[in-house]
Amino acid sequence: MPVPPPPHPSGARPPAVPRALVPKHVAVVMDGNGRWANARGLPRTAGHEAGEASLIEVVAGAIEVGVTHVSAYAFSTENWSRSPDEVRFLMGFSKDVLRRRQDTLDSWGVRIRWAGRRPRLWRSVVSQLEEAERATAGNSTCTLTMCVNYGGRAEIADAAQAIAREVAAGRLKPDKVNEKMFARYLDEPDMPDVDLFLRSSGEQRISNFLLWQSAYAEMIFLDEPWPDVDRRHLWRAVEQYARRDRRYGGAVDRPGATAPVGGAR
């Protein structure tokens, strides 16, 4: 049986948000590690090291508040353009985080998944990702998807290529291609759509992360750099999410209300 995560050191408890208003899937862009480190006179890699604890904290907070899926942007397809030293560090760090934290996450009932492209990744990184997937496959408390060598456009392009091959081979008719069928060719076909998209460090963009899955995500941007984020930031974001009106393109007439310019969204 899974054990609950330890409480936050401050004694803070998750907010009493009705279960129906808790986001099922939270996507996290862990931004600001390098700036956090540079502001303290440290190398950028020190910021990535400090950010490890924040990821585990947010997963703990997700479990406590009832979020069932967390997707973390660990290494993007664009991150290869960083300095060779930082790329080497991030490759090894992605592997070592899972090695260090796998047992803890497993004890909490966390299922670890991997989304991203295999080419260019170190074999040792791929092996550790696959081992974490195998070891935690039976867990169901929360799913943590580590997005390593991942890009939203790359994922969509790869899916389109796979569908094109099926059509060319005569196994699929072009007029059968629709949104539901297309989603089956994504990296993680059973991944639910993103409900809450959370990014740290004050930047207000999605940076090619889970483009397909975030079509109707609620966006919340934190001012704090990632190493300063803990579960309380997630909880406040969940409370804000619960207050939002999600209409998915629909609308409800409110007699007497003034219509916004351009119509309701």
Side-chain angles (χ1 to χ4, degrees):
M1 292 294 293
V3 299
H8 189 270
S10 70
R13 299 300 304 159
V17 176
R19 185 74 183 210
L21 298 180
V22 173
K24 182 178 181 180
H25 183 186
V26 176
V28 180
V29 178
M30 304 178 290
D31 194 26
N33 292 328
R35 279 165 284 171
W36 179 92
N38 290 166
R40 290 160 174 75
L42 301 170
R44 290 176 57 85
T45 54
H48 298 305
E49 291 174 339
E52 176 182 341
S54 294
L55 175 59
I56 302 306
E57 258 288 297
V58 165
V59 173
I63 293 171
E64 290 181 315
V65 79
V67 172
T68 58
H69 290 74
V70 175
S71 294
Y73 210 4
F75 188 89
S76 76
T77 50
E78 290 76 29
N79 286 157
W80 294 103
S81 63
R82 296 190 178 184
S83 72
D85 286 344
E86 187 171 3
V87 169
R88 279 193 295 271
F89 176 85
L90 289 171
M91 283 293 99
F93 190 64
S94 295
K95 174 186 67 176
D96 292 341
V97 166
L98 288 179
R99 179 178 52 79
R100 285 191 295 267
R101 302 291 190 166
Q102 180 177 311
D103 288 347
T104 295
L105 293 169
D106 186 32
S107 71
W108 295 350
V110 175
R111 183 186 186 192
I112 300 171
R113 303 296 300 273
W114 165 38
R117 283 178 164 174
R118 182 179 297 263
R120 295 189 73 178
L121 281 180
W122 294 359
R123 283 195 295 268
S124 59
V125 175
V126 173
S127 296
Q128 188 64 57
L129 288 163
E130 291 178 338
E131 165 57 25
E133 284 189 316
R134 285 193 297 269
T136 63
N139 293 340
S140 59
T141 300
C142 183
T143 296
L144 170 63
T145 301
M146 297 293 292
C147 298
V148 184
N149 199 26
Y150 174 87
R153 288 180 173 179
E155 179 181 31
I156 292 170
D158 290 346
Q161 287 181 11
I163 291 171
R165 287 193 294 269
E166 293 292 292
V167 171
R171 293 188 291 266
L172 180 64
K173 294 181 179 181
D175 60 1
K176 295 298 183 183
V177 179
N178 55 31
E179 293 179 17
K180 184 176 181 180
M181 188 277 295
F182 191 96
R184 297 176 193 152
Y185 289 83
L186 297 174
D187 286 356
E188 295 293 331
D190 58 348
M191 176 187 285
D193 283 349
V194 174
D195 298 307
L196 171 60
F197 191 106
L198 188 66
R199 181 176 185 144
S200 58
S201 201
E203 303 293 352
Q204 298 188 16
R205 55 182 179 269
I206 59 177
S207 294
N208 197 26
F209 187 42
L210 296 177
L211 298 180
W212 180 278
Q213 298 86 347
S214 297
Y216 278 98
E218 296 293 326
M219 306 288 178
I220 294 181
F221 302 103
L222 306 175
D223 291 330
E224 295 83 358
W226 182 249
D228 289 339
V229 172
D230 66 20
R231 71 186 79 180
R232 294 170 297 181
H233 294 85
L234 171 67
W235 292 342
R236 287 195 289 271
V238 168
E239 288 182 300
Q240 186 176 342
Y241 168 90
R243 293 192 293 269
R244 294 191 179 180
D245 182 13
R246 308 186 77 206
R247 298 187 298 274
Y248 298 98
V252 177
D253 284 337
R254 293 183 175 87
T258 301
V261 175
R265 293 186 179 183

